[in-house]
């Protein structure tokens, strides 16, 4: 890393520089250490956090999901001890598994702010390594779409099963057909509530105006692939578009993601949401419940190697396959690796158009 041009990290609407640090490598991720020079105590803006003055000095509280406590504590408590020593503060952390606030206290305001800043940067780094837990989705599992999808699957296996890698294990579960807008790492009930509240604000701020208070009529038609070579496909998806030719669906998707990224609940991946419905995925070959991973920053794939398939004939024969028309009436906060009574992903919250 260039010392004169350090990496910038955006947290809570503010931008911080990531100083060059010395790190120790451990076998387990939760044992990674964090350290920084003591000179950092005085170079943070004093208005970055709410710091309360107490009888004994200063205090700052931070809401941290319990699964992240271990990263602040570190191996044998080394990270916590180093933070406390270098910032001249005391850091109180709730017991493992108990949701609560981390409390930082110290005699000097700058030391408390420095400790809080370092904790935020540390947790931001580890949060990006967590596999996503939820995602915003449009459900495409209406009966008519499922029926056409099963027809597509049957015809592909009938006409292309001799092509390399093509098998029934590649196909999506029809009950889980969907459009993914973006993925989230939500580690406790408070973060889930925050995401649900933001969905409702988005409805009031712009979704109702764009959708006009009624469902969006969408057509699912045609297939396309993700990578460059159709002879070595990993993902084949169905394309979607508004039946009236408008860009309402794209605008809603883009603005939702923009708001969730701005809130810190979602990582920015692309300038625009790529609206697609996965119909075949090589991840399904080993795990039918596997989800499409949109960004390596939000978790690593469970499978180091994916056996691709030759989709050239599928493209030739089914390039314009018509899956049907669907009424989209809600955006759901879907829970990964889950199912509801209909077979779709369990819903933690939703935004309705009507």
């Amino acid at each position: 890393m260039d010392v004169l041009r350090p990496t910038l990290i955006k947290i809570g609407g503010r931008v911080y520089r990531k100083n060059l640090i010395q790190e120790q490598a451990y076998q387990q991720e939760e044992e990674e250490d964090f350290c920084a020079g003591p000179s950092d105590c005085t170079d943070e803006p004093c208005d970055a956090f709410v710091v309360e003055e107490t009888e004994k000095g200063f205090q700052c509280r931070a809401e941290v999901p319990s699964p992240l406590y271990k990263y602040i504590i570190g191996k044998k408590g080394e990270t916590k001890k180093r933070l406390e020593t270098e910032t001249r503060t005391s850091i109180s952390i709730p017991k493992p598994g108990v949701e609560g606030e981390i409390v930082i206290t110290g005699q000097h305001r700058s030391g408390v702010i420095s400790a809080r800043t370092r904790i935020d940067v540390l947790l931001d780094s580890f949060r990006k390594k967590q596999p996503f837990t939820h995602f915003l989705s449009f459900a495409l599992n209406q009966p008519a779409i499922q029926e056409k999808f099963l027809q597509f699957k049957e015809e592909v296996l009938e006409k292309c099963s001799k092509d390399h890698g093509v098998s029934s294990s590649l196909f999506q579960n029809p009950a889980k057909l969907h459009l993914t807008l973006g993925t989230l790492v939500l580690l406790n009930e408070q973060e889930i509530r925050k995401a649900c509240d933001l969905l409702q604000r988005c409805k009031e701020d712009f979704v109702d105006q764009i959708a006009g208070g009624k469902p969006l009529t969408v057509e699912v038609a045609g297939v396309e692939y993700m990578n460059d070579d159709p002879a070595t496909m990993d993902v084949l998806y169905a394309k979607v578009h508004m039946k009236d030719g408008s860009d309402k669906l794209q605008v809603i998707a883009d603005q939702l993601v923009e708001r969730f990224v701005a809130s810190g609940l979602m990582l920015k991946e692309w300038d625009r949401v790529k609206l697609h419905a996965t119909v075949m995925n090589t991840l399904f070959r080993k795990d039918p419940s596997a989800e499409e991973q949109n960004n390596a920053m939000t978790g690593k794939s469970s499978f180091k190697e994916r056996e691709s398939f030759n989709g050239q004939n599928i493209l030739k024969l089914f390039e314009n396959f018509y899956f049907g028309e669907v009424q989209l009436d809600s955006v759901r906060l879907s829970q990964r690796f889950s199912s509801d009574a209909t077979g779709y992903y369990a819903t933690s919250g939703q935004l309705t158009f009507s």
Side-chain angles (χ1 to χ4, degrees):
M1 180 178 68
D2 189 338
V3 176
L4 298 178
R5 296 180 180 178
T7 302
L8 299 180
I9 300 175
K10 185 176 181 181
I11 301 176
R14 293 180 177 273
V15 178
Y16 299 92
R17 67 179 183 276
K18 184 176 182 181
N19 292 326
L20 186 62
I21 62 174
Q22 178 184 356
E23 294 185 346
Q24 291 178 306
Y26 296 99
Q27 291 182 345
Q28 300 297 324
E29 179 184 76
E30 61 267 28
E31 295 180 347
E32 289 187 26
D33 214 342
F34 174 85
C35 55
S39 62
D40 290 337
C41 293
T42 58
D43 63 4
E44 300 299 341
C46 290
D47 63 345
F49 313 108
V50 176
V51 179
E52 303 170 335
E53 188 169 4
T54 66
E55 294 180 357
K56 297 182 179 180
F58 297 89
Q59 175 179 282
C60 182
R61 297 174 178 272
E63 290 188 3
V64 177
S66 59
L68 298 181
Y69 294 165
K70 59 186 177 183
Y71 302 122
I72 302 173
I73 297 169
K75 182 183 180 182
K76 297 181 180 179
E78 290 178 1
T79 302
K80 178 174 177 288
K81 290 175 185 176
R82 181 175 284 111
L83 282 168
E84 290 176 324
T85 299
E86 294 181 351
T87 61
R88 298 181 178 85
T89 60
S90 175
I91 302 171
S92 175
I93 302 174
K95 294 180 180 180
V98 177
E99 296 296 339
E101 292 181 319
I102 287 178
V103 182
I104 306 166
T105 56
Q107 293 184 352
H108 302 284
R109 183 184 182 90
S110 60
V112 171
I113 291 174
S114 179
R116 170 63 190 272
T117 301
R118 295 189 198 188
I119 287 173
D120 279 0
V121 172
L122 174 67
L123 295 183
D124 181 68
S125 174
F126 280 112
R127 180 181 282 275
K128 289 176 179 177
K129 297 179 182 179
Q130 304 298 313
F132 72 88
T133 60
H134 295 73
F135 57 99
L136 295 182
S137 74
F138 284 108
L140 296 178
N141 64 341
Q142 289 79 354
I145 299 291
Q146 288 197 49
E147 184 178 344
K148 291 292 289 185
F149 169 78
L150 291 173
Q151 178 188 333
F152 168 78
K153 176 180 178 180
E154 181 180 348
E155 292 184 11
V156 168
L157 292 175
E158 178 184 334
K159 299 175 182 178
C160 306
S161 60
K162 293 183 179 180
D163 295 342
H164 175 75
V166 175
S167 70
S168 61
S169 63
L170 295 174
F171 291 84
Q172 173 69 281
N173 177 346
K176 293 187 181 297
L177 287 167
H178 68 279
L179 301 177
T180 297
L181 305 187
T183 59
L184 307 94
V185 177
L186 305 177
L187 298 177
N188 59 19
E189 288 301 320
Q190 289 90 335
E191 292 190 345
I192 293 174
R193 276 203 303 274
K194 182 179 178 182
C196 292
D197 291 343
L198 181 55
L199 265 182
Q200 295 310 310
R201 291 200 298 275
C202 289
K203 172 181 170 65
E204 298 167 3
D205 292 348
F206 61 86
V207 173
D208 280 347
Q209 181 179 356
I210 297 171
K214 56 185 180 181
L216 303 179
T217 304
V218 170
E219 289 185 314
V220 185
V223 294
E224 190 55 87
Y225 60 104
M226 286 290 189
N227 54 311
D228 297 329
D229 187 357
T232 56
M233 285 188 194
D234 280 321
V235 176
L236 184 76
Y237 62 89
K239 296 182 286 186
V240 297
H241 61 268
M242 288 288 298
K243 187 176 181 179
D244 63 6
S246 72
D247 62 352
K248 289 181 180 179
L249 181 63
Q250 185 70 56
V251 171
I252 289 175
D254 289 341
Q255 291 194 22
L256 279 171
V257 169
E258 183 179 334
R259 287 289 293 273
F260 271 77
V261 168
S263 75
L265 289 170
M266 187 180 290
L267 292 176
K268 185 176 179 63
E269 299 179 65
W270 314 106
D271 290 334
R272 300 187 75 199
V273 175
K274 186 176 181 63
L275 294 169
H276 67 282
T278 298
V279 292
M280 297 173 70
N281 190 330
T282 52
L283 287 181
F284 299 151
R285 196 190 299 281
K286 293 184 179 180
D287 183 2
S289 66
E291 315 297 344
E292 198 177 330
Q293 185 57 267
N294 293 334
N295 191 327
M297 295 293 285
T298 53
K300 298 176 183 178
S301 171
S302 302
F303 315 112
K304 293 182 179 179
E305 295 182 3
R306 297 167 65 163
E307 182 190 350
S308 60
F309 64 96
N310 186 341
Q312 290 174 305
N313 285 329
I314 297 176
L315 282 179
K316 290 177 183 177
L317 297 171
F318 302 95
E319 183 179 7
N320 298 310
F321 188 89
Y322 187 73
F323 290 91
E325 180 181 306
V326 61
Q327 302 287 318
L328 300 182
D329 59 2
S330 65
V331 178
R332 307 188 190 194
L333 178 62
S334 299
Q335 183 179 334
R336 193 182 185 192
F337 300 132
S338 67
S339 297
D340 62 15
T342 70
Y344 193 68
Y345 301 95
T347 300
S348 298
Q350 62 181 334
L351 174 167
T352 57
F353 291 165
S354 54

